[in-house]
Structure formats: C-alpha cells, structure tokens
Amino acid sequence: MSFPRLEMLGKFKAKAILAFCVYVLSLFSGVSSANIEQPSTIKDLHYGEVLFHFYQEDYFTSIVHLLAARDLNRTTNHIPEDELLLGGIDLSYGLHKEASRIFDKLLQGNVRDAIKNRAYYYLAKIYYQRGYIDESANFLSNVYGPVQESVFGELKLLTGQVYMAQGKYDAAISSLDNWKAPKSHENYADYNLGIAYTKRGNIDKGIEHLKKVGKLKAKTETMRTLRDRANLASGLTLIQNDRPADAIEYLEKVRLEGLYSNLALLGIGWANSNANRHSASLGPLQELRNRSAYHSEVQEGVLALAHAYNELGLHGRAVQAYEQAAGIYNEEAKALSFAAHEIERGVLVDALLDRTKGGPKMGWFWALRDLPELPEVKYFTELLAEHEFHEALKNFRDLLFLKKNLAHWDENISIYLTMLDTRKARYQKYLPLVQQRLSGLDLNELKSQQDSLSSELNEIEKDNAFIQLATAEEKQKLSEIDKLEQRLELLKLQEPDNNKITQMSEKTALMRGIMHWKIHNAYIERSWNHKQEISEIEKHLSITPEKSVSIKNAITESVEKFDAFEARILALHKEIKRLIPIADRVFDEQSRYLEHVAVKELKHREKILVGYEKHARYELASSYDAAASSIVPGGEETSSEDSKSESPKKRWKLW
Amino acid sequence: MYKKLMLFITCILLTYVCCVTADIGELNAREAKDFQGLDDDIQVLKEEVLELNRDLYILEEELLYPSSTQVAVYVSVDVGDFFDLDSVQVTLNEKVVANYLYTEREVEALLRGGVHQIYIGNLPSGEHELVAYFVGKGPKGRDFKRGANRIIDKGLGAKYLELKITDRTPKHQPDFVVKEWE
C-alpha cells in the first residue's frame, strides 16, 4: 500500500472514530422520561384548571392563571404545592432565575420534607439542564426522607444521569440497579443502566439492559425513538469493542426512517468493513449516499463507500465514488454558504414570521418542527438538532408570542372602557328609579300587613270560614244567587200559591249548595297555598333590610368602583404601551441572535465540508493510479473479495 | 511505519480540530459580547408580560363575571378506564351554554389530573337547573351518551360546579356526577 493510501485509510478510520465518539457522547448520556405530574387529589378547582393548561404545555396560560388564582386565594388548599408548581412551570417556560428564586424561598421556609425534596429535585434539574453537574449533584444530595411518588421515578433517573455525567458509573449503577422502576420509567432506567454498565466496561451486562429496551413494543414515537437509540447504542458499543459482527444484528433493528437511521446505516457499513465484509457494507452505504448530504453521517458515508470499493479492489468505482464525494462536498459547501448568506439577508426571520401569521395563540402553538419549506433554509430541521439554535428558536417563538399578546391587548383594552361607559350610563338612568323605590319602602308597614294577613288566615281556619277563601268568580256567583233569592222571596209574597216560584226557589237553594260544596272542597288547598305565600312574603321581608342596605352600599360604592376600574384599565394600558417597544427591541435582538447562531453553525459545517473535499480529492488522485493499474481495457472490474467468495450475479446485484 | 503514520495523521486531525475550535472560541467570545444580557432581558420581559396578563385576567373576570353572579362549570376525569371522552354539552335552565369537543391532547391533560373550565357566565340568585351530556366511547368501545343533572341554589357568592367522570369499578361502568363547590 502506498503512503497516501495508508494516510487516507488512517484518516478515514481516525475521523470515523472521532465521529463515533461524538455520537457516543450524545447517545451515551442518560435519558429521562417526560416530566410527569401524576394526578393528585384536586382540592381547588382553579389549581386543577392550571394543571389542564400545564399538561398541554401551554405554559404562558398556566402561569397567568396560577398567578391570578394565588392572588385571589383560590389555591389555599394547595399551599405550598402551588408555589412548587409555579416554580416548575416557570422552569418549563425558560424562567430559570424566577424558578430558582421560588425554590430557594421554599427551601428557606418551614415546609414538609416532601415539598423540600421536590424543590431540591427541580433545582437539581435546572442546574443539570444548564450543564452545572456538580451543583446539580449537590442539590440531589440534600434530598432526604419522603419523596412524592410521582417525583420519585424522575428523581431516580436524574440521579443516575448526574452520576453518569460525573463519570461515577458505579454510583449510577448502584442507584439504578436496585430500583424496581415503575412501568412508566423502567425502559428509561434500563437504557441508563445499559449505558452505565458499558461505560464501566461491563459490555455484556450493559448490552443485556439495552437489549430489553431494544425489544420493547413501542406504541408512541417517543418509545420507538428510545428503542432505536438503545439498539444503536448496543451496536456502536460492540463496534468500539471489536465485535463488529455482533453489532450488525442491533444496528439492523433501527428504523430506516427514524432519527437515528443515518447513523445506523453508517454503523452497519462500518461494522461490515471492520469485519472485513466490504461487499456487505456497500448496500447500507449506498443507501446512505442517496440521502441529504447535509448530515455528517452521509458525509462520512460517501467516504466510507469509496473506501469499501478500494478494499474490494474496485478501484474504478472507488475513483467514481471519490469524485462523487468531492462533488457532493463541493455542492453542499456552496449550498451552505448560500444559505448562510440568505439568513444574513433576513430570509430566516421573514420566513418564520410569515409562518406564524395570525392571532396571539398562533405564536404559542406554532411547533418548532413546523418550519418554512424554502430552498434557502432547507437546513433548519438539521439545525434544530443543535441545542443553541433550538434554544434561540424557542426564545424567538416566545418573544413573538409576547409581541402578539401585547398588540392584542393594546387593541382590545379600550373595549373595557366602552363597557364601563355603557354601565355608567345605565347606572345613571336607573339610579333615580331605584332611589325612589328605596325611599318609599316602609318595612314596618309591610310587616304589619303581613301580620294582619297571617292572623286573618288563622281566624278563617279557626272558624272554618271557608267562604272567605272563595275566588272572585265564586263570590260573584254567590252574590248573584243572593240577588235571585231576594227576588224570589218578593215574588213569593205576591203569589204564595205559584208552584213555579217554589220550584225556582228550590233550584236556587240547590245552586247555593253546589257552590258551597265546591268552595269547601277547594278550601284545604287554598288555605295551604295562602300559608305558603305568607311564608314567602315573610322570607322576602326578612332579607329585605339586608338587601336594601346592600343596594344602598352598592349605590355609594358604584361610583368609586367605576372610577377604580377606569384607573386600573388606564394603568394597564400604560403598562402595555411601556412594554411594546421593549418587546420589539428584545425581539429584534433575538432575531439577530437567531440568525447569528444559524450562520455560525452553517459556516462551521461548511468549513468541515471544505476539509472533507480536500481529503476526497487527495484520495482521488491516488485512486486514479490504482484504477489505472487494475482495470484491463475492455474487461470488467472485479473485486478481490468478490472474486474469492461471491458469484458474479451477486456482485452485480451489490453494485 | 503504520503507527508513525497514524500518529502523524492524528496530529493533523488535532490541529484541524483545534483550528475549528479556536475559530468557534473566537466567535463565542464575540457573540457573548454582542448578545450580553439578552437572556436576562428576555426573562425580565417574560415576567413583566406575565404579571400584566395576570392583572388583565383578574380585571376581565371582575368586569365580566362579578362574584355575586358568577357561575363556572368545570370538567374532570378520574381514572377513565371505562369511558373515552369525546364531548360535553352543558345546559342551564334548558338553554345550551357550552358545547365542547375535546382533542386528544386535552383528554390526556384531563386524565393526568387537569380540570377544564367548560363554561363561565352569570346567573341571578335562586334555583337553576343544570344538565350535562357526556358523549364518548363506553366499555368495549361502544358509543356512549349519558346525562347528569342537578338543581343548584345560587347564593350571593360565586358558584363553581364540577362535572366529574369517574369509574364505577364493580359495575365496569363510568359514572357521571355533578358536584357543587363554594
């Protein structure tokens, strides 16, 4: 082998190992399940309402509602959990400082150990997420005594992660291995244990745990990704430990379309190469070559493919592959340069703003993955994998939402002033009427009327004077009967022997009897109804003094209330007006920062690609020599491995 | 010979990596200067807008739903093994006041212990009838619609009502309850 060839091979291997080290660092960090707040008993509906928004990751609404509920004393049955929840949501919303302040304050107060432990857990999580591992470990070491069940699993996982980040793999293992994790956490625990064991050097034990996760029947995308990650970690670990043939089984289980598919394909190619099965490495590497050249795995893959051809003695194809690789790197570097230039021109921010047109809610619910599809910004999805860009984009989104929120209130707060004016006008219209009625109200007179009615009813009952409860119609009929009887009496005196008059008198007596019978029958019901009515009057009269005082107070307070409301609305509008230019300035700065992060990352990648292109061209030159010496004019190129072990048909299939 | 070469290559690679790292370091220092304090500004702004929105939220409630007439209806789910919630309809005094179709995300939030405010409005003091209809999938995935009602006595303070969906484990059936809160 010539000097440059060896150099290239060495470079390829060294680069690949470097690349794997980077992957392994990210892959081999611990994983955590989503932050779970298990339903505890809701003792205040408003507290539960806050949780409803929080669980949907609508942090802004949940903080606003929680702050309001606390101010209005609506979460008194959840003290001090409400404070802990506020700190947790602040943390989710990126308010690290406010969250830290809340937890510190809680820890200084006289609260239960379980509450303190949750505060220590959240603080440890804040510091871990921000990269302060030792501080995070320090907070975890303060956890002592009872821990709420819902937090316990998260705490265990975080403890393992912190130990691993500190390189204390034995501690991580002893923390996780003795723990019988609940179902929701067991896959994460197994994954972290697997990583801890492999880092400790106990490969088989580590693979045993990773294998469990690699086999899980995943129902959600999160679980499918975790499964891929476990299989990938197993495969890469085995490659690193010179067991490439064993690695393939795991790498092949990674989904072809998932987050880790590129790395798995590169891993399969690399494992086959290491196992001297170069022809088997062609398939996955060719598949990889067809993917977006932006991914570093693809960039590694095209070189690996050329290398595999060389190893197979297919120098002509190796030349083609190196040429293609150099071309890809060149094109991709140009595209990156163009994209960086476009972002500097403001295309990124414009596209994002265009994407988030609409009301204030649009700003919030706009998912980070839902990015514009423009040729200049085709790298956004890949950029999202970068923590710095992701965080910058999140802040950009939050600021955009704040801007829209302020604009919305600026436009709509005047509605409340209009509403207030309408109420004032209505109040002015009805006030004299109410005042007149109130001044004419004589409660003593009304009470004596009610007493009189009550005693009258008692008298009727006592004397069984049911006729007194006859209806107006019945009384009218009885009076007509009276008149008829009087006339008949007069006629009887004039014509004593007239039978018709006698018969008429009998009929009239019968009519009177029927009327009395009807009135008597209805008497019990009527009496009961009157009693009810009197009781209602009594009830109303009893609360009337209170109501009239309340109305009188309301009259005096109303003017003050209207003024107070007006003052509040005007003060809030002033605050909105003050915040709008601040939000605009911070948003502009954040937009510039976002562009800066994106451009920095794209330029960094461009630089790497330029380096790759140089390597590819260098190797191309040396491969030309090898190709010229291996290809017989007019004959087919044959691989050294293929010629030994595979049929020509198989070889063509591979190509 | 091969080992020497590898060492040489590693040195080249390290130099390359160091160059890139140095560039990045320089960029980071410049960037830190340019964007110094931006994170602090963002945090302060977020807190101020949150406080503003809290004040606006309280103002809105006091103006639109004074406590003397306020009635709020909430939906909660406890366990939920025997019922998959699709929608809830609320009627007050035979008038439909809320009709809500739940998303998967919202149902998930309810199952985790969240409580949804489905209605807020005003009612005078006295007796009122509340009827709620729950629509979803019952045991064995069958279409399921049930109602629950309650006569409520609205006093001088705000009235909170909870429409609670629970599991009746012995009967393998869901249960729907209207609970009054003060």
Side-chain angles (χ1 to χ4, degrees):
Chain A
M1 197 175 279
S2 67
F3 178 91
R5 167 115 215 98
L6 260 179
E7 185 181 16
M8 189 57 213
L9 174 66
K11 252 182 192 170
F12 168 70
K13 285 192 174 176
K15 267 157 47 58
I17 287 166
L18 266 180
F20 275 137
C21 285
V22 175
Y23 298 140
V24 165
L25 276 177
S26 63
L27 260 177
F28 284 10
S29 56
V31 289
S32 171
S33 66
N35 193 18
I36 297 165
E37 288 275 341
Q38 290 289 348
S40 52
T41 312
I42 299 297
K43 297 173 214 151
D44 287 310
L45 283 173
H46 294 89
Y47 184 83
E49 201 262 344
V50 169
L51 289 178
F52 182 70
H53 296 290
F54 175 54
Y55 291 150
Q56 292 178 75
E57 295 176 10
D58 185 355
Y59 304 128
F60 187 87
T61 308
S62 50
I63 294 174
V64 169
H65 287 201
L66 184 52
L67 289 173
R70 278 161 57 88
D71 270 19
L72 299 168
N73 293 322
R74 288 171 174 175
T75 55
T76 46
N77 293 311
H78 284 281
I79 292 173
E81 288 97 336
D82 60 341
E83 193 145 17
L84 204 57
L85 178 66
L86 183 60
I89 312 175
D90 277 343
L91 187 60
S92 305
Y93 191 49
L95 294 170
H96 305 292
K97 286 187 178 173
E98 180 61 10
S100 288
R101 192 194 60 74
I102 289 172
F103 295 137
D104 283 340
K105 192 179 140 204
L106 255 177
L107 288 168
Q108 282 161 18
N110 184 23
V111 290
R112 300 195 312 271
D113 281 348
I115 298 289
K116 279 191 175 175
N117 287 339
R118 275 178 75 185
Y120 279 127
Y121 159 70
Y122 282 128
L123 277 169
K125 195 169 171 175
I126 296 172
Y127 279 81
Y128 175 77
Q129 283 173 344
R130 302 184 76 195
Y132 300 113
I133 307 301
D134 291 339
E135 287 82 353
S136 174
N138 192 32
F139 284 121
L140 287 174
S141 69
N142 284 316
V143 174
Y144 180 79
V147 177
Q148 192 182 323
E149 201 183 331
S150 62
V151 176
F152 186 73
E154 293 288 325
L155 184 71
K156 286 293 275 185
L157 285 178
L158 181 65
T159 307
Q161 282 172 273
V162 169
Y163 278 138
M164 282 161 71
Q166 288 181 313
K168 295 176 182 174
Y169 300 111
D170 285 333
I173 290 167
S174 63
S175 163
L176 294 170
D177 219 359
N178 300 322
W179 175 40
K180 192 167 169 23
K183 217 171 178 181
S184 55
H185 291 75
E186 65 180 354
N187 292 317
Y188 295 97
D190 268 323
Y191 180 87
N192 288 350
L193 256 177
I195 299 298
Y197 270 118
T198 55
K199 289 290 226 178
R200 183 70 188 83
N202 193 344
I203 307 301
D204 289 331
K205 189 80 176 164
I207 299 290
E208 190 185 303
H209 283 283
L210 290 171
K211 205 172 173 178
K212 278 190 209 168
V213 187
K215 279 181 178 174
L216 73 96
K217 285 178 182 167
K219 286 180 183 169
T220 62
E221 182 54 29
T222 311
M223 284 295 120
R224 284 190 281 272
T225 305
L226 183 67
R227 184 178 62 196
D228 284 348
R229 199 169 163 169
N231 284 319
L232 194 59
S234 296
L236 297 183
T237 302
L238 290 166
I239 293 174
Q240 278 190 321
N241 287 277
D242 294 327
R243 289 161 62 182
D246 296 339
I248 294 166
E249 174 197 344
Y250 297 99
L251 294 169
E252 282 180 344
K253 285 180 183 164
V254 179
R255 288 172 301 158
L256 262 178
E257 300 302 326
L259 190 64
Y260 298 110
S261 62
N262 289 341
L263 189 49
L265 287 168
L266 183 64
I268 297 169
W270 183 235
N272 279 311
S273 261
N274 274 14
N276 288 322
R277 287 153 54 180
H278 297 291
S279 59
S281 70
L282 295 180
L285 293 175
Q286 282 167 349
E287 163 65 28
L288 197 57
R289 184 185 54 183
N290 295 331
R291 298 187 172 199
S292 166
Y294 179 82
H295 301 290
S296 48
E297 299 94 328
V298 178
Q299 293 156 9
E300 294 281 341
V302 285
L303 271 182
L305 183 63
H307 168 72
Y309 285 137
N310 258 340
E311 289 295 316
L312 286 166
L314 300 170
H315 301 299
R317 288 171 199 176
V319 164
Q320 284 178 351
Y322 280 124
E323 273 177 346
Q324 195 184 18
I328 286 172
Y329 298 146
N330 185 273
E331 284 300 311
E332 205 59 32
K334 277 185 195 163
L336 282 168
S337 173
F338 178 71
H341 181 252
E342 288 295 282
I343 288 172
E344 277 171 339
R345 275 200 326 114
V347 168
L348 171 63
V349 170
D350 288 348
L352 289 172
L353 288 176
D354 191 53
R355 194 77 174 175
T356 53
K357 274 181 186 165
K361 280 282 174 188
M362 278 304 290
W364 183 258
F365 290 109
W366 159 56
L368 290 180
R369 286 195 191 87
D370 189 20
L371 289 162
E373 291 167 11
L374 294 170
E376 308 88 76
V377 289
K378 67 174 180 174
Y379 302 108
F380 285 179
T381 316
E382 284 83 0
L383 278 174
L384 274 177
E386 302 300 325
H387 175 73
E388 197 181 6
F389 182 79
H390 191 263
E391 288 301 307
L393 191 59
K394 248 165 58 177
N395 272 336
F396 175 88
R397 178 194 66 174
D398 292 348
L399 289 168
L400 185 62
F401 171 77
L402 296 186
K403 258 168 68 82
K404 288 188 174 190
N405 177 274
L406 290 170
H408 166 80
W409 281 118
D410 188 32
E411 212 172 290
N412 292 289
I413 199 162
S414 55
I415 292 170
Y416 294 127
L417 283 176
T418 314
M419 189 188 290
L420 212 56
D421 287 343
T422 314
R423 279 194 192 171
K424 264 187 198 172
R426 197 177 153 85
Y427 174 78
Q428 304 290 355
K429 187 180 166 189
Y430 287 104
L431 182 64
L433 191 69
V434 174
Q435 278 176 329
Q436 192 189 342
R437 284 200 179 168
L438 273 177
S439 60
L441 191 70
D442 186 346
L443 275 175
N444 291 334
E445 173 61 27
L446 289 172
K447 183 80 178 81
S448 90
Q449 280 180 21
Q450 183 244 321
D451 288 343
S452 150
L453 282 170
S454 190
S455 60
E456 198 179 329
L457 190 66
N458 284 339
E459 285 296 314
I460 291 169
E461 277 188 338
K462 195 176 148 194
D463 301 341
N464 199 21
F466 59 89
I467 296 293
Q468 296 293 324
L469 297 185
T471 63
E473 192 190 348
E474 287 165 347
K475 281 180 181 167
Q476 173 69 26
K477 280 182 182 167
L478 283 173
S479 139
E480 281 170 12
I481 290 169
D482 283 347
K483 282 179 193 163
L484 200 60
E485 278 179 340
Q486 281 169 15
R487 282 184 65 191
L488 285 169
E489 279 303 316
L490 285 172
L491 286 171
K492 225 178 190 177
L493 288 173
Q494 290 166 10
E495 296 177 58
D497 300 325
N498 192 329
N499 280 341
K500 276 190 177 177
I501 294 170
T502 310
Q503 281 172 3
M504 284 290 282
S505 293
E506 283 168 0
K507 274 185 184 176
T508 313
L510 186 63
M511 278 165 69
R512 177 182 290 282
I514 289 168
M515 280 307 292
H516 277 216
W517 182 78
K518 275 185 179 174
I519 294 165
H520 190 266
N521 267 357
Y523 167 69
I524 294 171
E525 190 186 340
R526 284 172 186 173
S527 166
W528 189 85
N529 285 342
H530 283 303
K531 272 186 190 167
Q532 284 298 108
E533 281 161 9
I534 287 169
S535 151
E536 279 290 305
I537 292 167
E538 198 175 351
K539 205 169 131 189
H540 285 296
L541 279 176
S542 71
I543 59 167
T544 303
E546 193 192 327
K547 275 200 171 176
S548 82
V549 169
S550 152
I551 292 168
K552 278 174 188 164
N553 286 342
I555 289 168
T556 28
E557 282 170 13
S558 283
V559 181
E560 290 168 19
K561 266 190 182 175
F562 286 136
D563 290 345
F565 269 129
E566 194 171 344
R568 274 167 74 185
I569 295 169
L570 293 173
L572 287 169
H573 202 177
K574 199 175 163 190
E575 179 67 356
I576 294 167
K577 292 279 186 203
R578 184 185 74 81
L579 288 171
I580 285 174
I582 299 175
D584 288 343
R585 177 185 60 77
V586 178
F587 178 75
D588 287 344
E589 275 186 41
Q590 184 63 23
S591 303
R592 281 201 345 264
Y593 178 63
L594 181 71
E595 288 169 350
H596 169 81
V597 173
V599 168
K600 185 185 76 176
E601 180 58 28
L602 293 181
K603 284 191 172 166
H604 170 61
R605 293 188 180 205
E606 184 193 339
K607 198 171 252 182
I608 291 173
L609 281 173
V610 170
Y612 277 5
E613 191 193 345
K614 280 182 191 163
H615 296 314
R617 293 212 183 277
Y618 180 78
E619 183 62 13
L620 182 62
S622 56
S623 293
Y624 270 129
D625 297 337
S629 59
S630 68
I631 297 173
V632 180
E636 267 298 331
E637 197 175 46
T638 54
S639 80
S640 53
E641 186 184 305
D642 292 348
S643 58
K644 285 177 215 160
S645 58
E646 293 186 60
S647 67
K649 192 180 173 188
K650 178 80 183 256
R651 194 175 70 233
W652 281 109
K653 195 178 172 187
L654 277 167
W655 176 240
Chain B
M1 178 67 180
Y2 183 83
K3 277 182 184 173
K4 275 185 183 173
L5 277 173
M6 284 298 288
L7 191 65
F8 171 71
I9 293 154
T10 312
C11 285
I12 291 173
L13 275 169
L14 276 173
T15 314
Y16 172 69
V17 169
C18 286
C19 285
V20 173
T21 316
D23 282 350
I24 293 168
E26 197 185 313
L27 268 173
N28 284 341
R30 212 167 51 217
E31 169 194 307
K33 200 180 169 190
D34 285 353
F35 299 104
Q36 208 169 27
L38 182 56
D39 186 52
D40 284 350
D41 285 352
I42 293 172
Q43 297 218 18
V44 170
L45 178 68
K46 277 183 177 179
E47 280 174 39
E48 286 183 329
V49 178
L50 282 165
E51 280 165 15
L52 171 81
N53 273 267
R54 172 203 57 195
D55 293 344
L56 285 162
Y57 179 77
I58 294 173
L59 172 87
E60 192 175 51
E61 192 180 298
E62 285 178 10
L63 264 175
L64 300 180
Y65 317 106
S67 59
S68 55
T69 54
Q70 189 186 113
V71 173
V73 184
Y74 295 83
V75 175
S76 74
V77 178
D78 191 10
V79 191
D81 287 341
F82 305 127
F83 185 67
D84 286 336
L85 179 65
D86 280 339
S87 66
V88 175
Q89 186 187 74
V90 180
T91 67
L92 270 169
N93 302 323
E94 297 178 3
K95 187 182 164 197
V96 177
V97 292
N99 235 330
Y100 200 89
L101 189 63
Y102 286 90
T103 64
E104 206 175 308
R105 200 177 170 84
E106 287 168 334
V107 171
E108 185 64 29
L110 287 172
L111 287 169
R112 287 174 69 185
V115 178
H116 173 230
Q117 186 187 71
I118 191 170
Y119 171 74
I120 183 163
N122 295 298
L123 278 180
S125 311
E127 284 190 350
H128 304 274
E129 188 188 23
L130 176 132
V131 183
Y133 296 100
F134 303 86
V135 180
K137 296 277 178 208
K140 296 177 185 171
R142 282 174 304 190
D143 287 344
F144 203 91
K145 184 176 179 181
R146 285 286 183 280
N149 71 325
R150 189 177 181 104
I151 301 293
I152 52 167
D153 189 12
K154 171 78 183 70
L156 289 174
K159 172 72 77 183
Y160 304 125
L161 299 153
E162 183 185 6
L163 308 175
K164 208 171 178 175
I165 305 167
T166 54
D167 281 346
R168 230 185 308 170
T169 314
K171 290 194 172 179
H172 287 259
Q173 287 285 327
D175 199 13
F176 305 91
V177 182
V178 183
K179 184 182 167 187
E180 277 188 60
W181 293 64
E182 286 302 331

